[in-house]
Amino acid sequence: MLSLRLARGAHPLVLLRRLLVAAAAAGVGFLLLCTLGHAVAHPKEAEGSVVRLLWCVVPLAAVVQFAVAVARTDPATRLREGLDAVGLGPVALSLLAAVSTALSCAVGSCAALLIYLELRGNLHLTSLSGSATKLLDGGEPLPWAAALTLLSLLPVLAAAACAVMLRPGEQSPEGGPTADDIPPAVKAPEPKRTYSGLPWGVAVIATGLALESYASDGSAPPAEALLNLPGRADGASPGLVGGWLLACLGFCLAGPGLTHWCGVLLSAGRPGPVRLLAGRILQDAAPRLGRPLGVLCAVASGALVAVELYGAAWEPSGARPFGPLTGLGAALVMACVTATALTAALDTRQSRADTAATLLRLGIPASLLRSAAAVRTCALVAVMAPLTWVVGELAAMPLTR
């Protein structure tokens, strides 16, 4: 009930972000229901149905990440002075964020079920009823237990991720004691450096590319060991797919370190006020902004791989590269990771709002802050875009042989 009251009185931008989470959850629920319908209609293709279900893990993970990013920026879940007196301490606020996220995802899952049943022709509520009966295998009955189990996956996973990621940390609420007020004997250890994951990320990327090269050494695996790729009659070996996934994971691990070193390079030498401010802000924002940027670059490199893999199919004389459900999944992943990166950028901006207000009171012109933001953006694009292109091209080479 408290979560519903907070949602009703929230800012329109907060409501929009929650609505986007519900829409993304509806997309994932629709994909899961389509996979279930295909498995029921084609019981002899059990292996193909399992592969379809495994491919749904990618958009599922993207929506969970987006839901956690939205919950992190929700003003209702931030620590405030005096909330402990009414029973809303750090643990209660993290649980409140998890419940709110689960509620948004559950609304999206219910909408997905209604849309799926309407397109199959089971509800007859609109003129679109039964318009996709053949695509969604509407001739077969839907097992309700399995459908409800699949639809409950996203709310449960998103709520668990929020409860883990937003668990009480070392920071005190507003107005609490600072680090300088704590005696040295009871001070918490220094946080882990943001660029410590960069060597691991580079190592994982190199391992993934090496695994792809080793798996494509010319020895063709048996047909039953191949994994089906969307829109292709031939499959790919598990080594190729695993190497590509490792390369994407390495990009995610290296994101905070790359963001941090972008800030270091900006503030190197004898920087002016704009470069110095941009570099320091990037170093400070690396823990929050780096990981979503790394995921966005990993998905962009995957898009480059898809362009190389299905390039010939986009020609007018070529066949369709993939069906509408695969396109829906790809669009959902790209939209979620982009929205997550934008949400993280907004979160970092809100976290330094007091600092920006102080600089303005000291006489710093607002144009200098805008110039620093432009320099930060250009620096990130200049570093991330070439790396994304290089990793995407290297990952695509073994797949296009």
Side-chain angles (χ1 to χ4, degrees), residues 70-233:
V70 170
R72 190 189 300 274
T73 59
D74 194 343
T77 60
R78 295 180 180 175
L79 293 177
R80 292 180 179 86
E81 186 180 2
L83 288 182
D84 286 332
V86 294
L88 289 178
V91 176
L93 287 178
S94 63
L95 294 179
L96 178 63
V99 171
S100 300
T101 303
L103 182 61
S104 300
C105 294
V107 169
S109 298
C110 293
L113 181 61
L114 292 177
I115 295 173
Y116 180 77
L117 294 177
E118 179 67 14
L119 293 179
R120 276 170 56 102
N122 299 117
L123 298 181
H124 304 286
L125 298 177
T126 64
S127 59
L128 296 177
S129 179
S131 58
T133 302
K134 184 178 180 181
L135 177 64
L136 304 179
D137 302 300
E140 298 293 335
L142 188 67
W144 287 102
L148 295 179
T149 301
L150 287 178
L151 289 178
S152 63
L153 278 178
L154 180 59
V156 171
L157 291 177
C162 285
V164 172
M165 299 301 295
L166 302 181
R167 65 187 184 277
E170 309 292 340
Q171 299 177 353
S172 299
E174 299 177 3
T178 60
D180 296 334
D181 301 327
I182 303 176
V186 297
K187 279 187 179 180
E190 293 185 0
K192 192 177 181 180
R193 295 178 178 178
T194 56
Y195 53 85
S196 60
L198 182 58
W200 288 103
V202 174
V204 173
I205 291 176
T207 302
L209 296 177
L211 180 59
E212 282 194 77
S213 300
Y214 178 78
S216 62
D217 58 353
S219 56
E224 59 271 10
L226 297 178
L227 295 178
N228 295 330
L229 294 177
R232 289 176 65 94

Side-chain angles (χ1 to χ4, degrees), residues 34-51:
C34 292
T35 303
L36 177 62
H38 179 272
V40 173
H42 304 84
K44 296 182 179 180
E45 301 179 8
E47 184 177 355
S49 300
V50 171
V51 173

Side-chain angles (χ1 to χ4, degrees), residues 186-390:
V186 297
K187 279 187 179 180
E190 293 185 0
K192 192 177 181 180
R193 295 178 178 178
T194 56
Y195 53 85
S196 60
L198 182 58
W200 288 103
V202 174
V204 173
I205 291 176
T207 302
L209 296 177
L211 180 59
E212 282 194 77
S213 300
Y214 178 78
S216 62
D217 58 353
S219 56
E224 59 271 10
L226 297 178
L227 295 178
N228 295 330
L229 294 177
R232 289 176 65 94
D234 55 340
S237 66
L240 287 175
V241 178
W244 173 66
L245 293 178
L246 274 180
C248 293
L249 177 61
F251 233 137
C252 300
L253 294 176
L258 290 174
T259 306
H260 174 86
W261 284 107
C262 283
V264 172
L265 293 177
L266 278 178
S267 57
R270 292 185 176 180
V274 174
R275 236 179 2 112
L276 178 62
L277 185 60
R280 295 301 185 186
I281 289 178
L282 267 186
Q283 295 178 53
D284 182 68
R288 297 184 180 183
L289 188 60
R291 191 60 53 81
L293 279 180
V295 175
L296 179 60
C297 292
V299 173
S301 66
L304 291 177
V305 173
V307 169
E308 295 289 338
L309 193 60
Y310 300 102
W314 293 104
E315 299 177 0
S317 59
R320 294 173 58 186
F322 42 72
L325 297 180
T326 305
L328 173 62
L332 187 62
V333 171
M334 183 60 71
C336 285
V337 297
T338 305
T340 301
L342 293 176
T343 303
L346 181 62
D347 185 25
T348 57
R349 181 182 178 183
Q350 292 176 348
S351 65
R352 62 176 184 272
D354 295 339
T355 304
T358 303
L359 291 176
L360 292 176
R361 285 197 304 268
L362 291 176
I364 301 296
S367 59
L368 188 144
L369 298 180
R370 291 193 293 266
S371 300
V375 170
R376 291 196 307 272
T377 304
C378 293
L380 288 175
V381 172
V383 172
M384 297 293 191
L387 288 177
T388 302
W389 180 80
V390 169

